[in-house]
Amino acid sequence: MLNIEHLTKTYGEKKAVDDLNLHIRPGEIYGFIGHNGAGKTTTLKSVAGILQFDAGEIYIGGDSVREKPLECKRKIAYIPDNPDLYEYMTGVKYLNFVADMYEVPSDLRTQRIEQLAGQMDILDALEAKIQSYSHGMRQKIVVVGSLLHDPAVWILDEPMTGLDPKSSFTLKEMMRRRADSGKTVLFSTHILDTAEKVCDRIAVINRGKILFCGTLPEMREHFRANESLEQMFLEITEEGKDV
């Protein structure tokens, strides 16, 4: 569903992403883990069509992000690590604005807004202006808006930031249900306990390079079997080894 081939992105003389390859299948939750500044956000913004990249190619459902950007954007939803919203809008107006962009029919959008806002426990706040929302509430409404068009690929950058424990648990359940229904979920995180519990596969990135791709059992084949993801991650990134 999502193929990233030889992706390279530079800022001046610095290579933020260096010849990166990822192949993510339908029906799986793929965790993208790395230190701050490792290249996670640059990669996700490139996939979402927000950043132009210097070399390589990204395919979403077989379509090139370069050649067919609109077709690709219709298939995805992207949640940034610090979402900017139209604060003068009420929550429900914002959600209808998002639904308009993706041409979601009125009856279907009403159903999805009620269902998703209810799951994220924000239904009662939809008539209030977004400027009155806390950071956590803003994160919740972005989650709701991102799913209104039922995207095939759901991309989330540090999605648990600002969420209370109940909402974090709900979001992880939503990710699991989408993957179980055949959708693809790619999310970045530095919370390794979350990645260990939620992900089907993971990729470790450091200084723009992928150091490992695969399942936790596959990672443990290269390390002591009883090590946690946190221990293995620190060992990989500190030594800079390619597994």
Side-chain angles (χ1 to χ4, degrees), residues 164-193:
D164 58 79
K166 179 182 177 182
S167 298
S168 294
F169 180 78
T170 300
L171 181 58
K172 286 181 279 189
E173 284 190 320
M174 294 168 77
M175 293 164 65
R176 183 74 269 164
R177 285 196 297 270
R178 293 197 67 77
D180 289 345
S181 69
K183 310 292 185 181
T184 298
V185 178
L186 169 63
F187 81 103
S188 74
T189 184
H190 63 271
I191 305 174
L192 300 183
D193 286 345

Side-chain angles (χ1 to χ4, degrees), residues 44-87:
L44 298 188
K45 285 186 175 180
S46 297
V47 173
I50 296 171
L51 284 179
Q52 293 185 348
F53 41 94
D54 303 314
E57 189 56 276
I58 300 171
Y59 298 96
I60 299 175
D63 288 329
S64 165
V65 169
R66 285 186 190 271
E67 297 176 3
K68 297 183 178 180
L70 290 180
E71 287 84 345
C72 289
K73 288 179 181 179
R74 290 188 182 100
K75 299 175 186 177
I76 70 170
Y78 170 65
I79 297 179
D81 56 346
N82 187 25
D84 293 321
L85 299 171
Y86 299 106
E87 295 190 344

Side-chain angles (χ1 to χ4, degrees), residues 216-229:
L216 282 173
E218 288 170 344
M219 183 182 282
R220 288 193 173 100
E221 289 181 5
H222 301 273
F223 297 90
R224 292 184 295 276
N226 292 328
E227 283 193 334
S228 67
L229 174 59

Side-chain angles (χ1 to χ4, degrees), residues 1 26-28 60-61 71-79 98 102 104 108 112 116 142-156 174-175 177-186:
M1 178 55 71
E28 69 178 353
I60 299 175
E71 287 84 345
C72 289
K73 288 179 181 179
R74 290 188 182 100
K75 299 175 186 177
I76 70 170
Y78 170 65
I79 297 179
V98 174
Y102 287 100
V104 181
L108 187 57
R112 288 178 178 170
L116 294 166
V142 170
V143 169
V144 173
S146 72
L147 295 178
L148 293 179
H149 65 295
D150 192 25
V153 181
W154 198 17
I155 305 166
L156 308 94
M174 294 168 77
M175 293 164 65
R177 285 196 297 270
R178 293 197 67 77
D180 289 345
S181 69
K183 310 292 185 181
T184 298
V185 178
L186 169 63

Side-chain angles (χ1 to χ4, degrees), residues 10 39 80 82 87 96 119 145 155 164 202 222 237 242:
T10 60
N82 187 25
E87 295 190 344
N96 276 293
Q119 290 175 10
I155 305 166
D164 58 79
I202 59 171
H222 301 273
T237 55
D242 192 351

